[in-house]
Each structure stands twice: as C-alpha cells, then as structure tokens.
Amino acid sequence: MNQIGVENKLQTIEAQFTVLDSSMQKLLKKFEFQSTALEDQVGQDEMWASLLEERFTSIEVNLFYSYICETINCLHSQVVQKLPDLAGALCTLSSILRRKGKNQRIRSAWESALDVLGFQEADIKALCAFFMIHSYDACYYPANQRQNYTSDISSVINKAVKNQLFKHSLLCAVCVVENRKA
C-alpha cells in the first residue's frame, strides 16, 4: 500500500510538472514577443530622436524630401495597380497604411509592393517619419533640379545621415527612383 501511495504522489507531481512546464513555455513565448516589440519600439524611438536631432541643410532636406515623395508615389502606385477596384478608396499612401491592417487584399498588395521595390516595413516608417518632420519646410525638387545640386546623392546621404536605418531607407528610395527613371 505504501508503494501505491508513492506512485500516486509521483503521478501527481509529474502532472503538476507538466502543467508548470506548459505555463512556462507560454510565458516564454509572451516574453519573446514583448522583447521583440520593445526592440522595435526602441529602434523607432532612436530613429525619431536622430531625425529630430540631426541638422540637415535646407538643400539636403529638399533633396531627401524629393526622393521620399517620389518613393511614396511609386509605392502607392504599385499597390493601386494591384488593386484597381479599390483605387478610389486608396487615394493616398495614408489610406493604404490605415486599411492594410484590416483588409487582407490590401495587406497582400502592400507586402508585394514592398518586396518588388526592395523595402522593408521599417524603411517606409523611417521615410514617413522624415516626411512628417520636414514636410512643412521642405520643397520638392524635380529630377533636373536635383541634378543641379548634386550628381552623387548617395555620397550626400552617406555624409549627412547618421542614423543607419534612415540612411539605408533613403539609399533604397534613391535606387527606386533612379531605377524607375531608367
């Protein structure tokens, strides 16, 4: 009888261990998700802070702004081309960004457009952050006017931009705009 009691206690302990192990695995998954979310938030905070702290010349702001405007236009066009039946409802990039979380077709078109143009979601967030910070004082320069200011925009970006995410995003935007012209 004593052996049966020990076996019952052992089974009870094993069952409790299984429950605890399962709970621990769930907590680990939640912590991993929270850790990733916090890392993303820290990266976004650093990018915003650097964009607010960096002092670009007015010409640099206008050049960067111009490339970002054309990139936003290109990205918007890519999504609308994939969803012509929704073109009226997706009249701006902002409307796409608002609706992509709720609509699988828009999200798929968005992700496809990012992929075609070589962007990650973080790149667009960085470009949009610059756009929001500087749009009130920036002027759009058409391609021929941009050429008057610099023949090598990549070197201007590499010298002026300190934040690595924004630098990468801006260099990608330049590639998109230059490849689109070619």
Side-chain angles (χ1 to χ4, degrees), residues 36-145:
T36 302
L38 283 173
E39 286 176 15
D40 290 347
Q41 185 62 45
V42 167
Q44 288 296 317
D45 289 349
E46 288 174 359
M47 191 263 312
W48 273 95
S50 74
L51 284 175
L52 291 169
E53 291 170 0
E54 287 193 59
R55 299 291 177 235
F56 301 117
T57 67
S58 61
I59 291 174
E60 289 168 344
V61 167
N62 294 339
L63 289 169
F64 301 165
Y65 177 79
S66 300
Y67 279 102
I68 290 170
C69 285
E70 289 194 26
T71 300
I72 288 171
N73 183 42
C74 182
L75 187 56
H76 174 260
S77 297
Q78 287 280 326
V79 173
V80 170
Q81 284 175 0
K82 295 174 187 322
L83 302 169
D85 58 315
L86 297 177
L90 302 175
C91 53
T92 63
L93 183 66
S94 178
S95 61
I96 292 168
L97 294 174
R98 275 194 313 271
R99 292 188 173 122
K100 73 179 175 71
K102 299 174 188 168
N103 185 310
Q104 179 59 40
R105 286 182 59 219
I106 296 172
R107 184 173 35 258
S108 294
W110 168 256
E111 290 169 357
S112 175
L114 288 177
D115 189 48
V116 165
L117 297 175
F119 285 112
Q120 299 294 318
E121 186 90 22
D123 295 321
I124 302 306
K125 286 180 181 178
L127 296 176
C128 287
F130 180 91
F131 183 86
M132 288 188 288
I133 291 169
H134 294 287
S135 63
Y136 74 95
D137 63 349
C139 296
Y140 174 79
Y141 290 165
N144 59 345
Q145 191 175 359

